Amino acid sequence: MRFSTSLKTTLALAAGLCAGLGAQAAGHYVPGVEGVQAASVPPPGVYYLGYLADYKADTVRAPGTKEDLPGSNSIHVTALANRLVWITDHKILGADYGVETIVPVQRTQLDLGVVPLHDNDTDLGDIYLGPVVLGWHGSNWDAVAAAGYWLDSGSTNSPASPGKGYGSTMLTAGGTYYFDAGKTWTGSVLARYEFNRTTSSGFKPGQTLSVEWGLGKALGPVVVGLVGYTQQQMSKDSGPGALDQKASRSAAGAELIYPMLSQGLFLKGAFYQEFASQAATSVEPKGHLLRFTLVKAF
């Protein structure tokens, strides 16, 4: 295995970098929180979305490799991401204009036996502010474009800190296509691109692309579907201890959506199993994600 610093120093840095939900490849966005019809923006109104996610990984890749760390290692993150979206009546370029914010609360448990490192932390994570959300709607398609910024607001001195230690600009684009007149068959792709800033120690994570996809079928009011994601680091890390390798993760799974229209609610549940993982400068987990979503229209 290749290490640019001592094993203990590298893993301590890695623990800080992987403290976000799911310990994703460098970046704030957590793939797997959206699924079927991920690129469809709702009509004008105010919406609350609560994402309850539980990520577990007993396989942890060593920095710069696809090889597992020796010994017993695990990463467990439980989080509630609170998202508020306001889609206004205003139009920009023919699209409904909206704004959004995300406030995550999470608990992270790190157990890396090779160091050893055992730590846990529960706190507010980094907050996202999205001043631009654009949603288009055609006869058999939807499209979205958005831009926002992840604040460096959740960092603590704990290796299991819920904050990433840096801010990020995130751009979003995607589309949903309806394959039949009744809109019972859907396919969607949603991409997020993050430009990460430099940490206080001078380390800069590479830019990150996250792509989520979903294929859905409506069975009466209930929707079932196949979902998945790929997260790929697009540029190399730089700064102290940076390695040349780029991190990546891929997963596939299933989703169920149950609407409660009389109460303005949608309940969603999904399970993802990661089948590929590559570490960059930090360790990278390979695990599974269980996610529940509540959508409330006001």
Side-chain angles (χ1 to χ4, degrees):
M1 286 181 273
R2 176 183 174 188
F3 298 98
S4 61
T5 60
S6 71
L7 178 61
K8 186 172 182 178
T9 301
T10 301
L11 291 181
L13 169 64
L17 289 176
C18 73
L21 172 59
Q24 67 272 18
H28 285 84
Y29 185 71
V30 181
V33 295
E34 304 292 354
V36 175
Q37 292 181 273
S40 297
V41 175
V46 177
Y47 303 87
Y48 167 79
L49 297 90
Y51 304 90
L52 179 61
D54 188 76
Y55 180 90
K56 293 182 180 179
D58 294 324
T59 298
V60 182
R61 305 300 199 196
T65 76
K66 294 182 180 180
E67 301 175 12
D68 298 344
L69 285 176
S72 177
N73 306 284
S74 68
I75 295 174
H76 185 192
V77 183
T78 302
L80 174 62
N82 301 281
R83 182 183 182 190
L84 190 64
V85 181
W86 176 29
I87 304 300
T88 72
D89 292 320
H90 298 289
K91 297 281 188 179
I92 296 180
L93 301 176
D96 295 332
Y97 168 73
V99 296
E100 64 178 333
T101 186
I102 302 173
V103 181
V105 181
Q106 67 185 56
R107 175 177 175 80
T108 302
Q109 296 174 275
L110 299 176
D111 292 286
L112 302 179
V114 70
V115 178
L117 172 63
H118 306 285
D119 193 37
N120 65 81
D121 196 2
T122 303
D123 214 328
L124 287 173
D126 293 337
I127 294 172
Y128 176 76
L129 301 177
V132 179
V133 178
L134 300 176
W136 291 268
H137 305 284
S139 59
N140 63 339
W141 59 269
D142 297 319
V144 63
Y149 190 78
W150 289 97
L151 303 175
D152 178 18
S153 57
S155 300
T156 69
N157 293 325
S158 167
S161 167
K164 303 291 285 186
Y166 55 87
S168 300
T169 298
M170 185 170 76
L171 304 180
T172 298
T176 297
Y177 185 79
Y178 301 94
F179 295 98
D180 60 330
K183 296 186 176 182
T184 65
W185 285 97
T186 64
S188 63
V189 177
L190 182 69
R192 315 265 195 182
Y193 199 95
E194 294 178 76
F195 299 88
N196 301 313
R197 300 183 67 85
T198 305
T199 69
S200 59
S201 64
F203 184 86
K204 185 176 182 180
Q207 300 171 13
T208 306
L209 173 66
S210 303
V211 178
E212 298 174 271
W213 57 266
L215 297 171
K217 170 61 177 176
L219 304 174
V222 176
V223 177
V224 296
L226 299 176
V227 292
Y229 62 76
T230 294
Q231 189 169 59
Q232 174 67 53
Q233 191 174 336
M234 303 303 291
S235 63
K236 297 178 182 178
D237 298 331
S238 61
L243 301 182
D244 289 337
Q245 288 76 13
K246 299 175 184 178
S248 63
R249 294 191 299 151
S250 295
E255 183 175 39
L256 175 68
I257 303 174
Y258 182 77
M260 302 174 66
L261 299 180
S262 61
Q263 301 179 46
L265 290 174
F266 283 85
L267 303 178
K268 304 180 181 182
F271 178 83
Y272 294 80
Q273 177 64 57
E274 292 180 338
F275 56 83
S277 179
Q278 160 74 52
T281 306
S282 128
V283 296
E284 190 73 24
K286 177 174 172 283
H288 60 265
L289 173 67
L290 180 63
R291 182 256 301 164
F292 298 99
T293 307
L294 180 148
V295 182
K296 171 62 177 176
F298 295 96

